[in-house]
Amino acid sequence: MSITRTLILVAAGALLVSASPVSAAEGPVAHWKLAEDGRDSSGNGHHAINHGVRFGGDRAATFNGVDSWLEIPAAKSLQLGTDEFSIVAWIHTAAELDDVLGDVMACYDPAT
């Protein structure tokens, strides 16, 4: 199976993706706690591929701000379409920054 789309997570903390319509009983499409690893705790198997992110310490993922990121392989359930959906991320940065903040989430499709 060829993967043509990739969801990229580049934020520290937790990220929750919930596509509409999903009832509260069904739960989120994906949930990455990012405390100890990049595994999806929703039970849907959308585990992240780690590209230099450190886990542990204060129970949060640490991104180096240059070339660390988490890759989520494409899946039909992550194709959120054009209807309403929610994405939640908790992010901590230094009090003073010497650069602009990057993407929190991006979906890259090389065909488009």
Side-chain angles (χ1 to χ4, degrees), residues 11-93:
L15 186 64
L16 175 72
V17 177
S18 183
S20 181
V22 174
S23 73
E26 291 179 69
V29 173
H31 183 195
W32 300 276
K33 295 179 182 179
L34 305 182
E36 298 172 3
D37 57 34
R39 296 186 62 78
D40 172 17
S41 63
S42 74
N44 293 321
H46 301 297
H47 306 303
I49 300 168
N50 188 351
H51 296 273
V53 176
R54 289 184 296 122
F55 294 99
D58 60 357
R59 296 187 39 90
T62 302
F63 295 75
N64 67 16
V66 178
D67 59 359
S68 61
W69 51 287
L70 296 171
E71 173 184 351
I72 312 303
K76 187 166 179 68
S77 62
L78 292 175
Q79 294 176 2
L80 303 179
T82 59
D83 290 334
E84 295 179 357
F85 63 90
S86 296
I87 297 172
V88 179
W90 290 274
I91 303 167
H92 172 75
T93 66

